[in-house]
Amino acid sequence: MEKEMMGNFKKYVFIMPFVGLFVSLLLFVYFFGIVGVEGSIWVAALYCALPFLGYTIFYLPLCIYFKVSKKRPIHRNEKHT
């Protein structure tokens, strides 16, 4: 059961940046194409890019953790002598 849960979590972590990119693209289309930007364009662009940036920032440490933990095997119930 634990391996299945970890596999599902890895899949979720892998798609996080893509979900953020999709949401960011939708926000760009909405703000710049449909509604129009009132005020600073850079602030609106940063606001639209926030989902992608946020999910990518969460993704990077988890990706590094999974790669490091994959290389280092965990042995349970082993006596150290």
Side-chain angles (χ1 to χ4, degrees), residues 19-36:
V19 170
L21 182 63
F22 180 72
V23 171
S24 291
L25 290 175
L26 286 177
L27 284 172
F28 270 108
V29 168
Y30 178 72
F31 279 111
F32 290 99
I34 297 172
V35 175

Side-chain angles (χ1 to χ4, degrees), residues 3-76:
K3 288 184 180 181
E4 182 182 341
M5 286 175 50
M6 191 57 87
N8 289 339
F9 185 67
K10 285 181 182 180
K11 288 178 190 176
Y12 168 73
V13 167
F14 178 73
I15 66 167
M16 280 173 54
F18 298 110
V19 170
L21 182 63
F22 180 72
V23 171
S24 291
L25 290 175
L26 286 177
L27 284 172
F28 270 108
V29 168
Y30 178 72
F31 279 111
F32 290 99
I34 297 172
V35 175
V37 177
E38 297 176 9
S40 178
I41 293 175
W42 294 108
V43 172
L46 183 62
Y47 178 76
C48 292
L50 261 169
F52 176 69
L53 295 173
Y55 280 149
T56 303
I57 288 171
F58 287 133
Y59 166 77
L60 290 175
L62 290 172
C63 183
I64 292 169
Y65 170 75
F66 287 137
K67 288 190 182 200
V68 169
S69 66
K70 186 184 229 183
K71 292 179 183 177
R72 186 175 15 150
I74 299 173
H75 300 287
R76 295 184 183 174

